[in-house]
Amino acid sequence: MIIDFDHLEETVIPHFRGGEKETRSRMYTDENNKIMRGKLEPGASIGLHVHEGNSEIIYILEGRGKVIDDGSAKELSAGMCHYCPMGHEHSLINDSDEDLIFFAVVPEHK
């Protein structure tokens, strides 16, 4: 299967999980995974949340920002990957002056 994000409809989610501004995402979803390319503009964030029943892998494609990972802030930039295991909490924050573009996979654990 090929997923061409450029041909998927963009979804705009205001204040995603209680975050700031909006998250833009092109996403493929089935019963096992969410696979997405997302964008946070400067000052935008995905709010702090716990992964229950799934985990998340986020790979930074462009830009820089930080992740709050179980209460600890860690800097991220292009080429870095963040993993949030099931049962843990995280938040993704664009605290830079450029867009933060990321690729994420959320596999369901059955």
Side-chain angles (χ1 to χ4, degrees), residues 5-6 10 22-26 36-44 46 56-66 76-82 92-104:
F5 292 107
D6 291 334
E10 183 175 65
E22 62 189 27
T23 302
R24 295 179 171 271
S25 179
R26 295 177 188 268
M36 67 196 89
R37 183 179 67 197
K39 177 171 83 170
L40 295 174
E41 65 182 34
I46 296 171
E56 186 168 15
I57 300 134
I58 301 172
Y59 181 79
I60 306 302
L61 297 167
E62 298 176 30
R64 57 189 169 78
K66 70 181 174 188
L76 287 173
S77 59
M80 296 177 78
C81 185
H82 163 66
L92 183 62
I93 302 163
N94 183 352
D95 59 357
S96 76
D97 57 0
E98 58 186 293
D99 288 342
L100 177 63
I101 311 295
F102 61 93
F103 173 80

Side-chain angles (χ1 to χ4, degrees), residues 4-23:
D4 185 350
F5 292 107
D6 291 334
H7 288 94
L8 295 177
E9 182 178 344
E10 183 175 65
T11 302
V12 179
I13 307 166
H15 307 288
F16 186 49
R17 300 212 181 249
E20 297 296 321
K21 296 189 176 184
E22 62 189 27
T23 302

Side-chain angles (χ1 to χ4, degrees), residues 65-82:
K66 70 181 174 188
V67 66
I68 305 298
D69 179 14
D70 288 331
S72 177
K74 299 172 183 162
E75 298 294 320
L76 287 173
S77 59
M80 296 177 78
C81 185
H82 163 66

